Amino acid sequence: MFTGFLPLWCGIAPQQNADKLVSTNYFADDRLCAQWGARSLSSRETTYSLEFSSNPSNWLGPVWIIVNYFVWKALRRYGYRKEADATPKDPDRRGN
């Protein structure tokens, strides 16, 4: 879930923890790093869904601008500037 990036966004996580979070949950595969940005919920979660919902918040997986802001700011704060600034389809998005 994108909320794992909030300690990075706030700048309170040690660099070692940030590196592990980013490598395990963002760069490793497409759990959170989707084609069009960061997902609000990992694609591996059982509640992940892109289906329309009557729930007005529907944070079950789509890409939301606020989520992408938190992740972008967190990545930049911890030295992942190139990856944060890469466009979604750019190979640099995953730290390549």
Side-chain angles (χ1 to χ4, degrees), residues 12-38:
I12 60 174
Q15 184 70 45
Q16 180 180 354
N17 292 21
D19 293 342
K20 184 171 182 176
L21 174 80
V22 171
S23 66
T24 304
N25 294 297
Y26 194 71
F27 291 153
D29 54 34
D30 65 350
R31 292 173 236 208
L32 292 174
C33 187
Q35 181 179 2
W36 301 110

PDB file of all heavy atoms in Angstrom, residues 12-38:
ATOM      1  N   ILE A  12      11.348  10.810   7.878  1.00  0.00           N
ATOM      2  CA  ILE A  12      11.676  10.251   9.189  1.00  0.00           C
ATOM      3  C   ILE A  12      12.254   8.829   9.125  1.00  0.00           C
ATOM      4  O   ILE A  12      12.681   8.305  10.142  1.00  0.00           O
ATOM      5  CB  ILE A  12      10.463  10.266  10.143  1.00  0.00           C
ATOM      6  CG1 ILE A  12       9.303   9.448   9.575  1.00  0.00           C
ATOM      7  CG2 ILE A  12      10.037  11.696  10.430  1.00  0.00           C
ATOM      8  CD1 ILE A  12       8.117   9.301  10.516  1.00  0.00           C
ATOM      9  N   ALA A  13      12.283   8.234   7.965  1.00  0.00           N
ATOM     10  CA  ALA A  13      12.815   6.870   7.825  1.00  0.00           C
ATOM     11  C   ALA A  13      14.331   6.924   7.634  1.00  0.00           C
ATOM     12  O   ALA A  13      14.834   7.780   6.905  1.00  0.00           O
ATOM     13  CB  ALA A  13      12.182   6.171   6.642  1.00  0.00           C
ATOM     14  N   PRO A  14      15.079   6.008   8.272  1.00  0.00           N
ATOM     15  CA  PRO A  14      16.518   5.925   7.990  1.00  0.00           C
ATOM     16  C   PRO A  14      16.739   5.521   6.532  1.00  0.00           C
ATOM     17  O   PRO A  14      15.911   4.824   5.934  1.00  0.00           O
ATOM     18  CB  PRO A  14      17.008   4.813   8.933  1.00  0.00           C
ATOM     19  CG  PRO A  14      15.937   4.649   9.958  1.00  0.00           C
ATOM     20  CD  PRO A  14      14.659   5.058   9.300  1.00  0.00           C
ATOM     21  N   GLN A  15      17.835   5.958   5.947  1.00  0.00           N
ATOM     22  CA  GLN A  15      18.130   5.672   4.542  1.00  0.00           C
ATOM     23  C   GLN A  15      18.081   4.176   4.246  1.00  0.00           C
ATOM     24  O   GLN A  15      17.562   3.760   3.216  1.00  0.00           O
ATOM     25  CB  GLN A  15      19.504   6.241   4.144  1.00  0.00           C
ATOM     26  CG  GLN A  15      19.837   6.055   2.673  1.00  0.00           C
ATOM     27  CD  GLN A  15      18.998   6.920   1.757  1.00  0.00           C
ATOM     28  OE1 GLN A  15      18.808   8.102   2.014  1.00  0.00           O
ATOM     29  NE2 GLN A  15      18.470   6.348   0.682  1.00  0.00           N
ATOM     30  N   GLN A  16      18.603   3.362   5.158  1.00  0.00           N
ATOM     31  CA  GLN A  16      18.615   1.907   4.953  1.00  0.00           C
ATOM     32  C   GLN A  16      17.179   1.368   4.820  1.00  0.00           C
ATOM     33  O   GLN A  16      16.915   0.531   3.962  1.00  0.00           O
ATOM     34  CB  GLN A  16      19.326   1.225   6.118  1.00  0.00           C
ATOM     35  CG  GLN A  16      19.401  -0.278   5.996  1.00  0.00           C
ATOM     36  CD  GLN A  16      20.123  -0.899   7.181  1.00  0.00           C
ATOM     37  OE1 GLN A  16      20.670  -0.223   8.036  1.00  0.00           O
ATOM     38  NE2 GLN A  16      20.118  -2.210   7.230  1.00  0.00           N
ATOM     39  N   ASN A  17      16.274   1.840   5.645  1.00  0.00           N
ATOM     40  CA  ASN A  17      14.876   1.398   5.552  1.00  0.00           C
ATOM     41  C   ASN A  17      14.240   1.868   4.254  1.00  0.00           C
ATOM     42  O   ASN A  17      13.483   1.141   3.623  1.00  0.00           O
ATOM     43  CB  ASN A  17      14.077   1.921   6.737  1.00  0.00           C
ATOM     44  CG  ASN A  17      14.476   1.303   8.047  1.00  0.00           C
ATOM     45  OD1 ASN A  17      15.567   0.767   8.186  1.00  0.00           O
ATOM     46  ND2 ASN A  17      13.617   1.403   9.047  1.00  0.00           N
ATOM     47  N   ALA A  18      14.560   3.100   3.881  1.00  0.00           N
ATOM     48  CA  ALA A  18      14.025   3.639   2.625  1.00  0.00           C
ATOM     49  C   ALA A  18      14.510   2.818   1.440  1.00  0.00           C
ATOM     50  O   ALA A  18      13.725   2.472   0.559  1.00  0.00           O
ATOM     51  CB  ALA A  18      14.445   5.096   2.476  1.00  0.00           C
ATOM     52  N   ASP A  19      15.793   2.498   1.412  1.00  0.00           N
ATOM     53  CA  ASP A  19      16.344   1.705   0.314  1.00  0.00           C
ATOM     54  C   ASP A  19      15.664   0.345   0.211  1.00  0.00           C
ATOM     55  O   ASP A  19      15.337  -0.119  -0.881  1.00  0.00           O
ATOM     56  CB  ASP A  19      17.853   1.520   0.489  1.00  0.00           C
ATOM     57  CG  ASP A  19      18.630   2.809   0.339  1.00  0.00           C
ATOM     58  OD1 ASP A  19      18.089   3.788  -0.230  1.00  0.00           O
ATOM     59  OD2 ASP A  19      19.783   2.850   0.804  1.00  0.00           O
ATOM     60  N   LYS A  20      15.425  -0.275   1.350  1.00  0.00           N
ATOM     61  CA  LYS A  20      14.782  -1.596   1.341  1.00  0.00           C
ATOM     62  C   LYS A  20      13.329  -1.493   0.857  1.00  0.00           C
ATOM     63  O   LYS A  20      12.883  -2.298   0.045  1.00  0.00           O
ATOM     64  CB  LYS A  20      14.824  -2.222   2.732  1.00  0.00           C
ATOM     65  CG  LYS A  20      14.269  -3.626   2.750  1.00  0.00           C
ATOM     66  CD  LYS A  20      14.495  -4.319   4.054  1.00  0.00           C
ATOM     67  CE  LYS A  20      13.950  -5.730   3.944  1.00  0.00           C
ATOM     68  NZ  LYS A  20      14.202  -6.504   5.140  1.00  0.00           N
ATOM     69  N   LEU A  21      12.611  -0.502   1.347  1.00  0.00           N
ATOM     70  CA  LEU A  21      11.223  -0.307   0.925  1.00  0.00           C
ATOM     71  C   LEU A  21      11.137  -0.078  -0.577  1.00  0.00           C
ATOM     72  O   LEU A  21      10.330  -0.702  -1.269  1.00  0.00           O
ATOM     73  CB  LEU A  21      10.597   0.878   1.658  1.00  0.00           C
ATOM     74  CG  LEU A  21       9.190   1.245   1.190  1.00  0.00           C
ATOM     75  CD1 LEU A  21       8.170   0.319   1.816  1.00  0.00           C
ATOM     76  CD2 LEU A  21       8.880   2.680   1.489  1.00  0.00           C
ATOM     77  N   VAL A  22      11.985   0.800  -1.078  1.00  0.00           N
ATOM     78  CA  VAL A  22      11.952   1.130  -2.501  1.00  0.00           C
ATOM     79  C   VAL A  22      12.335  -0.073  -3.354  1.00  0.00           C
ATOM     80  O   VAL A  22      11.661  -0.400  -4.328  1.00  0.00           O
ATOM     81  CB  VAL A  22      12.858   2.346  -2.798  1.00  0.00           C
ATOM     82  CG1 VAL A  22      13.021   2.561  -4.281  1.00  0.00           C
ATOM     83  CG2 VAL A  22      12.296   3.599  -2.136  1.00  0.00           C
ATOM     84  N   SER A  23      13.403  -0.779  -2.986  1.00  0.00           N
ATOM     85  CA  SER A  23      13.846  -1.917  -3.805  1.00  0.00           C
ATOM     86  C   SER A  23      12.875  -3.086  -3.734  1.00  0.00           C
ATOM     87  O   SER A  23      12.651  -3.769  -4.725  1.00  0.00           O
ATOM     88  CB  SER A  23      15.253  -2.364  -3.402  1.00  0.00           C
ATOM     89  OG  SER A  23      15.255  -2.892  -2.096  1.00  0.00           O
ATOM     90  N   THR A  24      12.267  -3.316  -2.591  1.00  0.00           N
ATOM     91  CA  THR A  24      11.360  -4.455  -2.413  1.00  0.00           C
ATOM     92  C   THR A  24       9.959  -4.189  -2.934  1.00  0.00           C
ATOM     93  O   THR A  24       9.332  -5.067  -3.509  1.00  0.00           O
ATOM     94  CB  THR A  24      11.271  -4.839  -0.921  1.00  0.00           C
ATOM     95  OG1 THR A  24      12.574  -5.101  -0.440  1.00  0.00           O
ATOM     96  CG2 THR A  24      10.396  -6.050  -0.707  1.00  0.00           C
ATOM     97  N   ASN A  25       9.476  -2.995  -2.724  1.00  0.00           N
ATOM     98  CA  ASN A  25       8.071  -2.724  -3.027  1.00  0.00           C
ATOM     99  C   ASN A  25       7.814  -1.808  -4.209  1.00  0.00           C
ATOM    100  O   ASN A  25       6.673  -1.638  -4.601  1.00  0.00           O
ATOM    101  CB  ASN A  25       7.387  -2.124  -1.796  1.00  0.00           C
ATOM    102  CG  ASN A  25       7.313  -3.115  -0.682  1.00  0.00           C
ATOM    103  OD1 ASN A  25       6.682  -4.147  -0.805  1.00  0.00           O
ATOM    104  ND2 ASN A  25       7.993  -2.827   0.403  1.00  0.00           N
ATOM    105  N   TYR A  26       8.846  -1.212  -4.755  1.00  0.00           N
ATOM    106  CA  TYR A  26       8.609  -0.311  -5.885  1.00  0.00           C
ATOM    107  C   TYR A  26       9.354  -0.759  -7.131  1.00  0.00           C
ATOM    108  O   TYR A  26       8.786  -0.868  -8.192  1.00  0.00           O
ATOM    109  CB  TYR A  26       9.002   1.118  -5.509  1.00  0.00           C
ATOM    110  CG  TYR A  26       8.493   2.142  -6.484  1.00  0.00           C
ATOM    111  CD1 TYR A  26       7.137   2.436  -6.552  1.00  0.00           C
ATOM    112  CD2 TYR A  26       9.345   2.798  -7.343  1.00  0.00           C
ATOM    113  CE1 TYR A  26       6.647   3.371  -7.454  1.00  0.00           C
ATOM    114  CE2 TYR A  26       8.870   3.739  -8.246  1.00  0.00           C
ATOM    115  CZ  TYR A  26       7.519   4.017  -8.296  1.00  0.00           C
ATOM    116  OH  TYR A  26       7.045   4.933  -9.197  1.00  0.00           O
ATOM    117  N   PHE A  27      10.636  -1.051  -6.998  1.00  0.00           N
ATOM    118  CA  PHE A  27      11.437  -1.422  -8.161  1.00  0.00           C
ATOM    119  C   PHE A  27      11.361  -2.905  -8.507  1.00  0.00           C
ATOM    120  O   PHE A  27      11.606  -3.287  -9.639  1.00  0.00           O
ATOM    121  CB  PHE A  27      12.907  -1.076  -7.941  1.00  0.00           C
ATOM    122  CG  PHE A  27      13.181   0.402  -7.918  1.00  0.00           C
ATOM    123  CD1 PHE A  27      14.251   0.885  -7.205  1.00  0.00           C
ATOM    124  CD2 PHE A  27      12.393   1.301  -8.613  1.00  0.00           C
ATOM    125  CE1 PHE A  27      14.534   2.244  -7.183  1.00  0.00           C
ATOM    126  CE2 PHE A  27      12.662   2.656  -8.595  1.00  0.00           C
ATOM    127  CZ  PHE A  27      13.740   3.126  -7.870  1.00  0.00           C
ATOM    128  N   ALA A  28      11.061  -3.759  -7.560  1.00  0.00           N
ATOM    129  CA  ALA A  28      11.156  -5.201  -7.763  1.00  0.00           C
ATOM    130  C   ALA A  28      10.215  -5.731  -8.846  1.00  0.00           C
ATOM    131  O   ALA A  28      10.572  -6.611  -9.601  1.00  0.00           O
ATOM    132  CB  ALA A  28      10.901  -5.938  -6.451  1.00  0.00           C
ATOM    133  N   ASP A  29       9.022  -5.219  -8.897  1.00  0.00           N
ATOM    134  CA  ASP A  29       8.034  -5.705  -9.861  1.00  0.00           C
ATOM    135  C   ASP A  29       6.942  -4.654 -10.020  1.00  0.00           C
ATOM    136  O   ASP A  29       7.139  -3.504  -9.687  1.00  0.00           O
ATOM    137  CB  ASP A  29       7.466  -7.060  -9.430  1.00  0.00           C
ATOM    138  CG  ASP A  29       6.905  -7.034  -8.025  1.00  0.00           C
ATOM    139  OD1 ASP A  29       6.357  -5.994  -7.612  1.00  0.00           O
ATOM    140  OD2 ASP A  29       7.010  -8.049  -7.325  1.00  0.00           O
ATOM    141  N   ASP A  30       5.788  -5.080 -10.479  1.00  0.00           N
ATOM    142  CA  ASP A  30       4.722  -4.108 -10.750  1.00  0.00           C
ATOM    143  C   ASP A  30       3.656  -4.027  -9.659  1.00  0.00           C
ATOM    144  O   ASP A  30       2.555  -3.590  -9.902  1.00  0.00           O
ATOM    145  CB  ASP A  30       4.078  -4.419 -12.095  1.00  0.00           C
ATOM    146  CG  ASP A  30       3.352  -5.749 -12.104  1.00  0.00           C
ATOM    147  OD1 ASP A  30       3.497  -6.525 -11.140  1.00  0.00           O
ATOM    148  OD2 ASP A  30       2.647  -6.021 -13.080  1.00  0.00           O
ATOM    149  N   ARG A  31       3.998  -4.437  -8.433  1.00  0.00           N
ATOM    150  CA  ARG A  31       3.009  -4.349  -7.344  1.00  0.00           C
ATOM    151  C   ARG A  31       2.463  -2.945  -7.178  1.00  0.00           C
ATOM    152  O   ARG A  31       1.273  -2.732  -7.089  1.00  0.00           O
ATOM    153  CB  ARG A  31       3.611  -4.692  -5.986  1.00  0.00           C
ATOM    154  CG  ARG A  31       4.005  -6.043  -5.758  1.00  0.00           C
ATOM    155  CD  ARG A  31       4.718  -6.088  -4.436  1.00  0.00           C
ATOM    156  NE  ARG A  31       5.995  -6.669  -4.741  1.00  0.00           N
ATOM    157  CZ  ARG A  31       6.704  -7.350  -3.906  1.00  0.00           C
ATOM    158  NH1 ARG A  31       6.328  -7.473  -2.678  1.00  0.00           N
ATOM    159  NH2 ARG A  31       7.821  -7.883  -4.282  1.00  0.00           N
ATOM    160  N   LEU A  32       3.359  -1.985  -7.053  1.00  0.00           N
ATOM    161  CA  LEU A  32       2.961  -0.589  -6.867  1.00  0.00           C
ATOM    162  C   LEU A  32       3.297   0.289  -8.061  1.00  0.00           C
ATOM    163  O   LEU A  32       2.642   1.275  -8.322  1.00  0.00           O
ATOM    164  CB  LEU A  32       3.616  -0.016  -5.611  1.00  0.00           C
ATOM    165  CG  LEU A  32       3.122  -0.596  -4.288  1.00  0.00           C
ATOM    166  CD1 LEU A  32       3.946  -0.066  -3.122  1.00  0.00           C
ATOM    167  CD2 LEU A  32       1.651  -0.283  -4.071  1.00  0.00           C
ATOM    168  N   CYS A  33       4.323  -0.069  -8.791  1.00  0.00           N
ATOM    169  CA  CYS A  33       4.768   0.723  -9.939  1.00  0.00           C
ATOM    170  C   CYS A  33       4.003   0.253 -11.173  1.00  0.00           C
ATOM    171  O   CYS A  33       4.361  -0.725 -11.806  1.00  0.00           O
ATOM    172  CB  CYS A  33       6.272   0.559 -10.128  1.00  0.00           C
ATOM    173  SG  CYS A  33       6.964   1.635 -11.384  1.00  0.00           S
ATOM    174  N   ALA A  34       2.924   0.958 -11.470  1.00  0.00           N
ATOM    175  CA  ALA A  34       2.058   0.583 -12.590  1.00  0.00           C
ATOM    176  C   ALA A  34       2.465   1.316 -13.863  1.00  0.00           C
ATOM    177  O   ALA A  34       3.312   2.195 -13.841  1.00  0.00           O
ATOM    178  CB  ALA A  34       0.609   0.899 -12.240  1.00  0.00           C
ATOM    179  N   GLN A  35       1.834   0.971 -14.941  1.00  0.00           N
ATOM    180  CA  GLN A  35       2.133   1.579 -16.235  1.00  0.00           C
ATOM    181  C   GLN A  35       1.956   3.093 -16.199  1.00  0.00           C
ATOM    182  O   GLN A  35       2.698   3.821 -16.827  1.00  0.00           O
ATOM    183  CB  GLN A  35       1.234   0.969 -17.306  1.00  0.00           C
ATOM    184  CG  GLN A  35       1.492   1.522 -18.688  1.00  0.00           C
ATOM    185  CD  GLN A  35       0.596   0.890 -19.738  1.00  0.00           C
ATOM    186  OE1 GLN A  35      -0.253   0.065 -19.435  1.00  0.00           O
ATOM    187  NE2 GLN A  35       0.804   1.281 -20.960  1.00  0.00           N
ATOM    188  N   TRP A  36       0.990   3.595 -15.449  1.00  0.00           N
ATOM    189  CA  TRP A  36       0.698   5.029 -15.448  1.00  0.00           C
ATOM    190  C   TRP A  36       1.028   5.708 -14.136  1.00  0.00           C
ATOM    191  O   TRP A  36       0.584   6.818 -13.883  1.00  0.00           O
ATOM    192  CB  TRP A  36      -0.767   5.259 -15.814  1.00  0.00           C
ATOM    193  CG  TRP A  36      -1.070   4.694 -17.149  1.00  0.00           C
ATOM    194  CD1 TRP A  36      -1.851   3.592 -17.412  1.00  0.00           C
ATOM    195  CD2 TRP A  36      -0.564   5.132 -18.406  1.00  0.00           C
ATOM    196  NE1 TRP A  36      -1.866   3.341 -18.752  1.00  0.00           N
ATOM    197  CE2 TRP A  36      -1.080   4.278 -19.398  1.00  0.00           C
ATOM    198  CE3 TRP A  36       0.276   6.164 -18.805  1.00  0.00           C
ATOM    199  CZ2 TRP A  36      -0.795   4.415 -20.742  1.00  0.00           C
ATOM    200  CZ3 TRP A  36       0.562   6.310 -20.149  1.00  0.00           C
ATOM    201  CH2 TRP A  36       0.030   5.451 -21.095  1.00  0.00           C
ATOM    202  N   GLY A  37       1.796   5.064 -13.271  1.00  0.00           N
ATOM    203  CA  GLY A  37       2.184   5.683 -12.001  1.00  0.00           C
ATOM    204  C   GLY A  37       2.107   4.703 -10.856  1.00  0.00           C
ATOM    205  O   GLY A  37       2.039   3.494 -11.058  1.00  0.00           O
ATOM    206  N   ALA A  38       2.130   5.232  -9.650  1.00  0.00           N
ATOM    207  CA  ALA A  38       2.085   4.389  -8.448  1.00  0.00           C
ATOM    208  C   ALA A  38       0.640   4.042  -8.108  1.00  0.00           C
ATOM    209  O   ALA A  38      -0.230   4.901  -8.097  1.00  0.00           O
ATOM    210  CB  ALA A  38       2.735   5.116  -7.282  1.00  0.00           C
TER     211      ALA A  38
END
